[in-house]
Amino acid sequence: MHTLKPLTSLQCGQTARVDALTLQGSMRRRLQDIGLIEGTQIECVHKSPAGDPVAYLIRGAVIALRAEDSAGVLVSCG
């Protein structure tokens, strides 16, 4: 069994699979609308020099997410 961890823990070049969204309300809906649903593969492609936001490759599109939002996405690696 894989350990779930927040999306914010991914390092550049690392990939993972979305297992759950812990966010509620409009932000949860926005993330689902861009394709962050259970089973989606996601890759961390770039971290800004300040560390926030971080760019992720999601279903062929690069999306920048703030740490406060990506912390509510639980992923598993491997």
Side-chain angles (χ1 to χ4, degrees):
M1 180 169 202
H2 300 288
T3 303
L4 297 183
K5 58 185 182 178
L7 182 57
T8 53
S9 66
L10 287 186
Q11 300 300 312
C12 284
Q14 193 173 16
T15 60
R17 182 176 70 94
V18 175
D19 285 311
L21 295 178
T22 61
L23 299 163
Q24 298 300 316
S26 62
M27 183 49 66
R28 179 184 180 90
R29 172 57 72 188
R30 278 192 197 129
L31 294 180
Q32 289 172 325
D33 287 346
I34 64 171
L36 276 177
I37 57 173
E38 187 175 324
T40 299
Q41 291 294 316
I42 188 166
E43 179 182 355
C44 178
V45 292
H46 181 74
K47 290 191 176 193
S48 69
D52 194 26
V54 176
Y56 299 97
L57 181 63
I58 304 166
R59 297 182 182 261
V62 176
I63 306 291
L65 296 175
R66 297 177 298 177
E68 65 185 83
D69 298 327
S70 56
V73 179
L74 299 180
V75 299
S76 59
C77 299

